Amino acid sequence: MNFVERTAGPEQQTEAEPVAESEPEPERRGTASLALGVTGVAMIGCPFLPEGLPPLIRFFPLYLVLPVGIMALVCGLPDLWAVRGDEGAARGRALTGVALGTVAILVPLAVCLYWILLLG
């Protein structure tokens, strides 16, 4: 066994790899916030569906309105903050999603407050 170090020849030497350029940040459009906001507001109307539908379809979405509204805010606010200084950025979708998410949060809270005041 030979433990002597050998120097690498020119064919074995590798050049230092260039530093990879940072990938461009994906464009923020606010589509997820808009979809979640519309879904949250639409679920508020599920109890008004025809009575022939099963209760699972009519009333189960009401349990999901508040979480979906919160998710619309969580998805939309960072998109709005990211395009805050950009003049040409299209922020309509994110702004609409945040507004609808806020409605989807405030309506159930207002109904719960009304019930509490009505029963109290």
Side-chain angles (χ1 to χ4, degrees):
M1 297 188 143
N2 189 359
F3 293 107
V4 178
E5 294 183 18
R6 298 182 188 175
T7 58
E11 65 277 347
Q12 294 175 342
Q13 292 180 353
T14 58
E15 294 181 19
E17 294 182 18
V19 176
E21 295 180 18
S22 62
E23 296 180 9
E25 187 175 318
E27 187 176 337
R28 297 183 176 265
R29 298 176 190 244
T31 306
S33 175
L34 178 64
L36 288 167
V38 167
T39 303
V41 170
M43 285 191 293
I44 293 172
C46 285
F48 303 111
L49 291 173
E51 292 182 12
L53 292 173
L56 184 65
I57 293 174
R58 289 184 61 211
F59 297 110
F60 180 70
L62 291 177
Y63 294 110
L64 302 176
V65 170
L66 196 60
V68 170
I70 292 170
M71 289 186 337
L73 285 179
V74 168
C75 289
L77 288 176
D79 290 344
L80 283 177
W81 290 331
V83 298
R84 182 174 31 199
D86 192 4
E87 301 296 325
R91 58 182 83 183
R93 288 183 191 169
L95 191 60
T96 305
V98 168
L100 291 174
T102 303
V103 168
I105 291 172
L106 292 179
V107 168
L109 294 178
V111 168
C112 287
L113 182 64
Y114 178 72
W115 283 347
I116 289 171
L117 293 176
L118 188 67
L119 296 176

